[in-house]
Amino acid sequence: MTDLQELQQRMAKAVMQPLTAREQMRRRNSAGQSNATEAAQFIRPNDQLTSFERLEIYNRQYWFRLFSNFEEDFPGVQVVVGRKRFQALMRAYLEAHPSTSFSLRNLGSQLVSWLDKNPAWTEPHSEMAIEMAGLEWAHIEAFDNAIWPTLSVDARSQINAESQLTLQPHVRLLEAHYAIDDALIAVRNESGSRDTSSNNASTGHVSKRRRALREMKRETVHIAVHRFEDTVYYRRLAAEDYRLLLALQQAVTLGDAIDIAFDGSLVPEHERPAYLQSAFAYWTTMGWFCTPPVDREGKGDS
Amino acid sequence: MPANRFNGFTEYGVGIGLRVPHYQHILAKKPVVDWFEIISENYMVDGGRPLTVLDSILEQYRVVQHGVSMYFGSSDPLNREHLKRLKALVRRTRTPWLSDHLCWGSVDDRYTHDLLPMPYTFEAARLTAEKIRQVQDFVEVPVVVENVSSYAEFHVSEMAEWEFLNEVVERADCGILLDVNNIYVSSQNHSFDPRVYVDAVPAHRVAQIHIAGHSKFEKYILDTHDHPVLDRVWGLYERAIERCGPTATLLEWDDRIPSFNEVHAEALKANKYLKAATTGESKQGNVLEYAR
Amino acid sequence: MKKSMKSIMLSAAVGGMLGLPAVALHAATPNSAPNTVSANGQYLGQTAFTGLSAKDKHSCKGKNSCKGKGGCKSSDNGCKGKNSCKGKGGCATDGSKMPG
């Protein structure tokens, strides 16, 4: 190990350690050692600041930057669990999952699986919180994921029961047990209008919103989060649509996906062909079926 | 001097950072702006509005890429995925040069998303220069490195910051993005004369200059990019222009961002100094005001 | 499921992708209008096709900061320009002052 690497590992460990409740650097690190002593080992003090205080600037800057980005990405989760608990949840998540990407865009990529494994941070609203986190992450992906070339007419005319169809990377499918799409739109509307309202008024709005959200009745909803002309939309799907699209997304063949879609379906059998024709016509018009890059050179694109 | 091999032999004038709150104004009003600087990472995505807006901007404006997370000074090897996405963006923007910071910020694949200061050692200079060369070879445009604001210094440092900068750019044979606000911030935090720094920089390597505002706290200054440029920073800018000649200049405003017109007007104040350099006028009085 | 029905359904799906009229598919319902779904996802029948519909809820309203060519009047994530080189911190608890 080089001296540079050793120094950087040492400093990164100090910078990324959690702050105190008062947003200051802890007196002792996780190993119980004095942070003042540790800082003095590698950071030079000056006439204004001790080594500890200089290191603390970076320690705080690290967390403040992550906090503001995380809060910006998950306003819905914050309303579900409440501000105070969200702060604790956020710190625990970021401690467990420090950024491994060059872009802050990916900061919340592990939140859903982490919440799933750590329900204590969201109880008794864990299900709603996890589903909301899923919707908010899907939104991020739908916002700037790729759009690949749509399937050409030639490619479409050759589709059979064994074909595997690829959905656009920006189409994200969710099943939830609350109307989280409506709830998130309401949260976003309020956070938009809150910019121009007083703090007291906005606090009132948030509590009201939180109450309304927590009192939502349980209902199964299926949502496609997708992008159209650079705007993200939440589209409600029939259960059959959801099962079919999800199966296709999981590389199930078209024939099998259709079986999965209508397993237990209430859609009368004689209406299913028209149902399917309509659904596939819509998805095709929206450009949801595409050619992944790996196939581009071998197949003709439209 | 202004057009040199480190900025692709361009003369770009005064630009501002392209920021989201200004998108609508720029696309609708099409204001006359010499050039825009983008934060590369915000456009290193696969699709969507960031790239749509960027493409619209590229139809009408010159764009230069500025990165925040290449971390030339990190002991980790370069991230291949980052490099590939960066190169794709370089091809899209046709940026004549590419800048990032002389700093580190990741270790063992964990990213701090901060611009952490380097220990000013020969070992660090050698490694940093090697990584700059690797990036330059890969992206195939000139790479220039920016001096950062810092709040800490290391016991192990073997030289002053400006000596380290010189050591790195000579070894890498790369250009410099001279941030005079960062020089000012660091000079206040580390008690050195900022003019010594400006005067020590190899002028022929300066491809671009950054100006920005900062925030003064009780015991230190933070590079917050949320204020107009302070007079003392303008003084350093004047000195830099005297030494380097009229150089592509960019105002950074990243927080509490005012209207487009306000940001642009602040940036255009640089023209006073650029014109003076062109006509050979001197404003020595301002230049000498570096009192703490 | 009967093989013939499966085959008709498959033809219907492909026909939908090719924009064929439903009558060409021997389907029971001779139109190609989109399926209507209740709020809880129950299939309700079909309505006239109009591209994006009320089912596609604009996920973002409010802030103007992201208005761009795409026309989203939104607080869309990712539209914020998350990565930057500004310093963070220095909240008022440590006696912050504005530049003087």
Side-chain angles (χ1 to χ4, degrees):
Chain A
M1 185 185 295
T2 64
D3 290 345
L4 181 65
Q5 188 180 23
E6 195 177 341
L7 177 76
Q8 291 181 345
Q9 284 176 338
R10 197 171 186 176
M11 180 152 174
K13 194 175 171 190
V15 164
M16 295 164 87
Q17 66 184 316
L19 297 170
T20 66
R22 298 185 62 196
E23 315 283 28
Q24 291 170 333
M25 190 157 81
R26 293 182 173 182
R27 296 286 146 198
R28 295 193 173 276
N29 63 22
S30 57
Q33 295 157 333
S34 158
N35 271 325
T37 306
E38 170 66 3
Q41 299 284 317
F42 61 97
I43 290 180
R44 198 183 286 170
N46 68 4
D47 57 351
Q48 294 286 311
L49 297 165
T50 63
S51 303
F52 177 93
E53 288 168 330
R54 295 183 119 184
L55 185 59
E56 185 180 43
I57 295 171
Y58 287 105
N59 184 206
R60 296 174 73 200
Q61 190 157 257
Y62 169 74
W63 286 105
F64 292 172
R65 181 173 280 110
L66 297 197
F67 291 163
S68 64
N69 278 280
F70 189 85
E71 285 174 343
E72 191 177 286
D73 285 350
F74 297 101
V77 175
Q78 178 161 187
V79 173
V80 172
V81 302
R83 178 160 177 77
K84 205 169 171 184
R85 293 193 74 199
F86 181 79
Q87 291 292 315
L89 172 163
M90 172 171 71
R91 285 157 204 255
Y93 167 74
L94 292 171
E95 214 179 314
H97 290 283
S99 173
T100 54
S101 167
F102 59 82
S103 174
L104 282 162
R105 182 260 193 209
N106 300 317
L107 197 58
S109 63
Q110 305 301 311
L111 182 62
V112 173
S113 60
W114 183 82
L115 287 177
D116 208 28
K117 288 180 204 134
N118 297 278
W121 297 100
T122 50
E123 280 167 353
H125 309 288
S126 298
E127 184 180 52
M128 191 188 288
I130 291 168
E131 290 177 352
M132 183 63 87
L135 177 60
E136 295 188 298
W137 179 249
H139 187 121
I140 291 169
E141 298 236 271
F143 179 77
D144 60 14
N145 272 6
I147 290 185
W148 290 339
T150 52
L151 274 186
S152 65
V153 175
D154 273 359
R156 280 182 268 153
S157 65
Q158 288 166 27
I159 287 169
N160 58 42
E162 299 308 312
S163 299
Q164 292 177 323
L165 300 178
T166 304
L167 284 185
Q168 290 286 3
H170 66 82
V171 178
R172 316 304 299 173
L173 305 166
L174 300 167
E175 180 178 67
H177 299 90
Y178 301 92
I180 51 170
D181 48 351
D182 293 339
L184 184 55
I185 289 169
V187 168
R188 286 178 178 279
N189 283 347
E190 275 176 16
S191 71
S193 60
R194 203 158 65 233
D195 285 353
T196 52
S197 62
S198 75
N199 284 339
N200 285 343
S202 65
T203 305
H205 275 304
V206 170
S207 329
K208 208 169 146 188
R209 169 58 45 206
R210 188 177 310 141
R211 269 200 307 279
L213 211 137
R214 287 175 177 176
E215 286 165 9
M216 278 197 300
K217 69 176 172 46
R218 246 181 102 78
E219 56 175 328
T220 301
V221 296
H222 298 97
I223 306 162
V225 183
H226 68 103
R227 188 168 81 241
F228 183 76
E229 292 183 346
D230 288 336
T231 297
V232 176
Y233 289 90
Y234 304 158
R235 180 178 178 82
R236 284 284 176 97
L237 300 172
E240 290 82 359
D241 293 344
Y242 171 78
R243 289 197 293 264
L244 179 49
L245 290 168
L246 190 66
L248 293 175
Q249 207 169 50
Q250 292 166 347
V252 172
T253 62
L254 179 59
D256 289 346
I258 289 173
D259 287 344
I260 290 168
F262 290 107
D263 185 20
S265 168
L266 295 177
V267 176
E269 198 165 301
H270 70 276
E271 288 185 20
R272 291 179 187 176
Y275 181 104
L276 280 172
Q277 187 191 12
S278 167
F280 275 86
Y282 178 79
W283 299 332
T284 303
T285 305
M286 296 299 288
W288 285 9
F289 300 116
C290 61
T291 310
V294 70
D295 291 340
R296 270 187 215 163
E297 287 177 12
K299 294 179 186 174
D301 294 330
S302 56
Chain B
M1 190 79 75
N4 57 36
R5 67 186 170 102
F6 304 110
N7 58 24
F9 299 100
T10 58
E11 296 194 40
Y12 264 26
V14 179
I16 62 170
L18 180 65
R19 301 293 181 258
V20 173
H22 297 156
Y23 281 178
Q24 191 190 13
H25 178 93
I26 297 164
L27 294 171
K29 307 278 183 189
K30 301 179 176 38
V32 176
V33 183
D34 288 350
W35 59 290
F36 286 108
E37 183 184 78
I38 60 166
I39 301 293
S40 301
E41 285 79 356
N42 291 331
Y43 301 88
M44 284 158 60
V45 291
D46 292 327
R49 194 176 319 119
L51 295 180
T52 304
V53 172
L54 177 60
D55 288 343
S56 298
I57 296 285
L58 285 165
E59 284 172 15
Q60 298 168 59
Y61 297 99
R62 299 183 292 194
V63 167
V64 175
Q65 285 180 223
H66 179 53
V68 294
S69 58
M70 185 56 76
Y71 298 143
F72 297 124
S74 280
S75 55
D76 280 0
L78 292 164
N79 178 326
R80 301 300 295 177
E81 174 65 13
H82 187 168
L83 280 173
K84 277 197 288 186
R85 285 179 177 269
L86 185 63
K87 188 167 185 174
L89 189 63
V90 164
R91 286 179 173 160
R92 192 177 202 117
T93 63
R94 298 177 301 280
T95 184
W97 73 93
L98 177 75
S99 61
D100 207 315
H101 299 81
L102 183 52
C103 71
W104 67 284
S106 62
V107 67
D108 299 333
D109 297 323
R110 301 288 164 88
Y111 284 72
T112 65
H113 299 284
D114 202 348
L115 309 172
L116 300 175
M118 296 297 299
Y120 306 131
T121 64
F122 289 99
E123 178 206 4
R126 183 184 45 75
L127 176 133
T128 305
E130 175 55 31
K131 287 177 74 178
I132 293 168
R133 280 183 180 273
Q134 286 173 17
V135 173
Q136 196 156 248
D137 288 348
F138 188 82
V139 296
E140 299 176 303
V141 288
V143 169
V144 309
V145 294
E146 177 184 351
N147 57 296
V148 298
S149 287
S150 66
Y151 317 106
E153 299 163 295
F154 297 103
H155 290 303
V156 294
S157 286
E158 298 162 340
M159 60 193 102
E161 184 187 337
W162 52 91
E163 292 167 336
F164 181 76
L165 173 66
N166 291 352
E167 183 74 18
V168 170
V169 296
E170 288 299 327
R171 281 174 179 266
D173 191 21
C174 69
I176 295 171
L177 194 179
L178 192 67
D179 189 319
V180 289
N181 178 59
N182 287 348
I183 290 177
Y184 181 78
V185 169
S186 294
S187 76
Q188 300 302 289
N189 290 337
H190 308 312
S191 306
F192 64 78
D193 180 348
R195 182 171 173 165
V196 171
Y197 195 136
V198 173
D199 287 351
V201 167
H204 68 285
R205 290 190 182 273
V206 176
Q208 180 191 339
I209 297 179
H210 265 172
I211 47 177
H214 56 252
S215 295
K216 187 172 167 63
F217 294 86
E218 196 175 312
K219 294 181 176 178
Y220 60 94
I221 295 182
L222 210 56
D223 178 35
T224 47
H225 295 183
D226 60 350
H227 287 91
V229 181
L230 270 77
D231 286 347
R232 288 171 186 172
V233 175
W234 281 123
L236 282 179
Y237 176 71
E238 184 177 15
R239 177 62 185 164
I241 292 297
E242 275 186 358
R243 290 202 63 235
C244 305
T247 304
T249 299
L250 191 287
L251 170 69
E252 295 180 293
W253 203 317
D254 290 294
D255 213 349
R256 295 192 287 184
I257 301 175
S259 71
F260 172 88
N261 288 334
E262 197 174 327
V263 173
H264 195 209
E266 182 67 16
L268 291 178
K269 289 178 186 172
N271 275 328
K272 181 173 76 174
Y273 305 100
L274 293 169
K275 279 180 190 151
T278 309
T279 57
E281 288 174 30
S282 171
K283 291 193 166 47
Q284 200 69 14
N286 284 348
V287 174
L288 294 175
E289 284 181 18
Y290 293 111
R292 290 193 64 199
Chain C
M1 192 181 295
K2 287 177 194 165
K3 198 174 177 185
S4 60
M5 187 57 180
K6 178 86 181 277
S7 166
I8 291 171
M9 287 168 69
L10 197 64
S11 299
V14 176
M17 293 180 78
L18 292 169
L20 298 181
V23 285
L25 302 167
H26 314 290
T29 309
N31 66 56
S32 60
N35 303 314
T36 303
V37 184
S38 72
N40 64 0
Q42 195 178 357
Y43 174 61
L44 296 176
Q46 296 178 321
T47 55
F49 184 81
T50 56
L52 274 186
S53 72
K55 290 269 153 268
D56 292 282
K57 292 177 186 172
H58 206 294
S59 60
C60 46
K61 290 177 185 169
K63 290 181 184 176
N64 292 319
S65 63
C66 292
K67 273 187 187 173
K69 204 179 178 187
C72 176
K73 307 163 193 66
S74 82
S75 55
D76 252 355
N77 298 67
C79 195
K80 292 280 190 183
K82 304 176 92 57
N83 302 287
S84 80
C85 47
K86 67 186 175 192
K88 294 283 284 185
C91 61
T93 54
D94 64 356
S96 63
K97 288 188 287 191
M98 302 316 280

